[in-house]
Amino acid sequence: MIVIEHCAVATVDGAGTEYADGHIVVSGDRIVAVGPGAYAGDTGGVTRVDGTGCLATPGLVNTHHHLYQWATRGRAQQEILFGWLTELYPIWARLDAGIVHAAASAGLAQLALSGCTTSTDHHYVFPRQGGDLLAAEIDAATAVGLRFHPCRGSMDLSVKDGGLPPDSVVEDTDAALAATKEAIDRFHDPSPGAMVRIAVAPCSPFSVTPRLMREAAGLARAEGVRLHTHLAETVEEEAYCREVHNCTPVEYAESLGWLGGDVWLAHAVHLDASAIAKLGASGTGVAHCPSSNGRLGAGIAPVRDLLDARVPVGLGVDGAASQEAGQLGSELRQALYSARLRGGPAALTARESLALGTIGGARCLGRDDELGSLEPGKLADIALWSLDGLGHAGIEDPVAALVFGPPAPLRLLLVGGRAVVQDGVMSTVDEPALAAALSRAARSLREAR
């Protein structure tokens, strides 16, 4: 057993329960008790963690990422999405399993250091001679120790057929569907407490044929896994859908069976009232990626309107080539500020922002029964943030300190009761070794022509 005590606790449960001075008890991989004051139970064989000066929250849930992009950061610095992709696709065509492993290891460790315990990844670039890229990133997640929801992505609409990607990075439609089915068979674990679950994730309206979108949805539902794609990210995508499909992106998704409680969409920036209502009525989730949207100048998602329409909304860092920091903890603040830039200072509260990063993300992934709040019976995925340093001292409200203040260091990060970060340092992997491997991977992509 592990007991964390003498800390502030924000449970993010349905009642918004908080304790100014509380404790959490962990047995195995589950939380068994949360309450006020110090732990008063049997101390025999118990590891006690003094959380004085700290805030305990659920571990953060990252709902959208492209981990391979850690090897291509800092490029296309002044481009919109379409220009950014056009510059980067030829580089990504040179990916291999070694590069993906190095990038995923570094990216997942960075996420852990920012309070993330569960991450998705949307991998949709599969060069023909690249090797087993999905296995490479799953191996990386296992070593780092995060709960992982990789999405087997795909693209089958190249430039010659009216899409955006070059021929070198797209797949044959049947081959993409077969590989997606194989990924589910090999890696998806539907059991309680699973560390790895697969989702089905054709890339976007401008890189995937309607047939692949429709048949991928059928495959996912036949196999009982979730669906993910990019949608309504930019005004250029909106124009593309209207020109090619004679409808909005959300109308296009609806026509292909891509709205529902088993779907979550990345970005959802450009939505009218009708689109928001459709997402709310269908229970379709949204991965909000405020820093990436800002980096690419894509716009600000209507998060307040989505929440008011009862849309499940989580946070995502997005790919590291459009959000070079890759820190999920920082997105709490960025989401708050972005919402207020759009809707004023009452558009989002600190606690609503924390909920986006925890229970909101768990809802997007269909795991809010196990993740996203600190409650007995849920998985022991816990972030213990140090708030007694210079950057947070004097802010009386600990949740406000975490969200409004600078990135908070971690005293402890548990995933299923296992320590992944202790005192701001990775417990599971060697950070300098990961940085060196990532530098080599990035250099190999730069030098390959």
Side-chain angles (χ1 to χ4, degrees):
M1 290 178 63
I2 300 171
V3 174
I4 304 169
E5 55 191 346
H6 308 304
C7 57
V9 180
T11 68
V12 199
D13 65 7
T17 305
E18 296 182 11
Y19 303 106
D21 178 14
H23 67 271
I24 306 166
V25 182
V26 173
S27 180
D29 68 346
R30 299 278 171 170
I31 297 169
V32 296
V34 183
Y39 174 63
D42 182 11
T43 59
V46 171
T47 299
R48 303 183 83 112
V49 177
D50 183 0
T52 301
C54 296
L55 168 67
T57 72
L60 303 183
V61 178
N62 179 34
T63 58
H64 188 62
H65 209 329
H66 308 292
L67 285 163
Y68 71 88
Q69 292 180 14
W70 271 85
T72 57
R73 291 186 292 168
R75 299 170 184 261
Q77 295 176 22
Q78 282 77 46
E79 293 285 351
I80 63 170
L81 175 66
F82 281 16
W84 176 86
L85 286 169
T86 300
E87 180 173 329
L88 285 162
Y89 273 140
I91 301 168
W92 296 337
R94 302 193 292 268
L95 289 172
D96 62 29
I99 292 169
V100 168
H101 186 274
S105 298
L108 289 164
Q110 181 79 330
L111 282 171
L113 290 166
S114 71
C116 176
T117 51
T118 297
S119 183
T120 61
D121 187 61
H122 188 183
H123 192 97
Y124 54 84
V125 180
F126 292 91
R128 292 171 183 81
Q129 306 303 317
D132 198 342
L133 305 188
L134 198 63
E137 64 174 9
I138 291 172
D139 287 346
T142 300
V144 172
L146 293 198
R147 210 173 298 281
F148 197 40
H149 282 231
C151 307
R152 207 299 177 177
S154 51
M155 299 189 293
D156 69 340
L157 186 67
S158 70
V159 171
K160 68 178 177 59
D161 299 313
L164 192 68
D167 292 347
S168 58
V169 296
V170 302
E171 298 176 275
D172 171 77
T173 305
D174 290 326
L177 289 165
T180 303
K181 173 67 164 63
E182 180 189 14
I184 297 167
D185 292 342
R186 286 177 67 191
F187 298 117
H188 182 67
D189 181 1
S191 64
M195 292 297 291
V196 178
R197 288 189 180 168
I198 300 293
V200 174
C203 185
S204 66
F206 50 84
S207 61
V208 176
T209 62
R211 179 195 160 203
L212 180 52
M213 289 288 287
R214 190 178 293 108
E215 293 191 22
L219 171 64
R221 287 169 178 141
E223 298 293 329
V225 302
R226 298 181 77 77
L227 286 158
H228 184 53
T229 193
H230 299 93
L231 201 76
E233 182 176 1
T234 66
V235 293
E236 291 79 20
E237 179 192 327
E238 171 100 7
Y240 176 91
C241 284
R242 288 188 180 278
E243 179 181 349
V244 175
H245 303 297
N246 196 33
C247 61
T248 68
V250 169
E251 289 169 342
Y252 179 58
E254 183 180 36
S255 73
L256 298 171
W258 269 79
L259 298 184
D262 57 352
V263 179
W264 85 103
L265 307 170
H267 302 297
V269 173
H270 298 279
L271 303 173
D272 58 19
S274 172
I276 292 170
K278 287 179 185 293
L279 298 184
S282 61
T284 305
V286 167
H288 176 40
C289 305
S291 289
S292 176
N293 295 155
R295 202 273 207 192
L296 294 172
I300 300 173
V303 170
R304 179 73 268 157
D305 294 338
L306 290 166
L307 292 174
D308 289 345
R310 306 185 69 82
V311 175
V313 181
L315 292 182
V317 298
D318 202 7
S322 69
Q323 205 280 60
E324 278 78 358
Q327 297 178 319
L328 190 55
S330 300
E331 292 304 283
L332 300 176
R333 187 170 184 259
Q334 191 73 4
L336 182 86
Y337 283 9
S338 295
R340 293 182 177 197
L341 281 171
R342 183 180 177 111
L348 200 70
T349 69
R351 282 161 178 79
E352 286 176 320
S353 186
L354 178 59
L356 294 181
T358 53
I359 194 67
R363 288 178 181 136
C364 286
L365 302 187
R367 297 198 71 174
D368 49 308
D369 61 332
E370 292 190 302
L371 304 173
S373 62
L374 301 178
E375 300 180 75
K378 287 202 168 184
L379 288 163
D381 291 10
I382 302 168
L384 185 64
W385 311 87
S386 295
L387 299 179
D388 54 359
L390 184 63
H392 303 88
I395 303 178
E396 184 177 4
D397 178 351
V399 176
L402 176 67
V403 176
F404 284 97
L410 282 170
R411 169 77 171 81
L412 181 68
L413 187 75
L414 297 180
V415 180
R418 178 194 184 199
V420 173
V421 178
Q422 297 183 80
D423 295 321
V425 177
M426 293 296 302
S427 305
T428 53
V429 289
D430 184 327
E431 294 174 46
L434 296 188
L438 177 63
S439 294
R440 290 192 298 271
R443 186 168 58 249
S444 71
L445 281 175
R446 285 195 304 269
E447 294 173 352
R449 292 291 186 271

